[in-house]
Amino acid sequence: MRVGDDVGGEAVAVGGRHRLAEDGDAQAAGGEAGDAAGVAALYEEDAVLAYPPGELTVGREAIRALWEKVPANSPRFAPEPPLPTLVSGDIALTSTPPRDGAGARAQVVRRQPDGSWLRVLDQPEFVRPAS
């Protein structure tokens, strides 16, 4: 099996820009605008976000509350080019290499009944453990 092979009508891996990448762009735009509810709407009700570093934020409401605090620190958000999206049925793995070179970012998303995708698991930063 190779990237781009079709399995039951769904690509195993999608090169280039996949519609799921638009969610990452929406998160960057929402974070930049201070739209905590808009960012939280990208997550399932019981999603798990590995942020702040070393902690877990569980549930859409907790994610919204977290994002309400984030703009106070004046972060800058910019869309990052996605790596190929891996899709298996109604589950997909999206990822991006951060512009700052700090590891990687990855999200597991699930297709919703209306065809949209929501994040189930979000690991915004993978940092190598100190040697």
Side-chain angles (χ1 to χ4, degrees), residues 28-29 31-33 67 70-71 73-80 99-100 105:
E32 189 73 23
W67 275 98
V70 170
N73 298 328
S74 301
R76 298 293 302 164
F77 298 95
E80 296 167 329
R99 291 183 190 272
D100 62 9
R105 304 186 200 294

Side-chain angles (χ1 to χ4, degrees), residues 93-117:
L93 173 66
T94 67
S95 57
T96 58
R99 291 183 190 272
D100 62 9
R105 304 186 200 294
Q107 302 80 35
V108 174
V109 295
R110 183 180 357 247
R111 188 185 339 250
Q112 305 300 299
D114 67 0
S116 66
W117 296 82

Side-chain angles (χ1 to χ4, degrees), residues 17-104:
R17 208 149 161 83
H18 188 270
R19 64 183 170 189
L20 293 173
E22 296 170 6
D23 286 346
D25 293 347
Q27 183 170 22
E32 189 73 23
D35 181 9
V39 171
L42 298 172
Y43 293 85
E44 285 193 350
E45 286 294 331
D46 58 353
V48 177
L49 169 64
Y51 191 83
E55 297 181 34
L56 297 178
T57 303
V58 180
R60 183 185 288 161
E61 187 56 31
I63 292 168
R64 183 198 55 74
L66 173 69
W67 275 98
E68 284 180 346
K69 297 174 191 171
V70 170
N73 298 328
S74 301
R76 298 293 302 164
F77 298 95
E80 296 167 329
L83 294 170
T85 299
L86 301 177
V87 180
S88 178
D90 290 337
I91 301 291
L93 173 66
T94 67
S95 57
T96 58
R99 291 183 190 272
D100 62 9

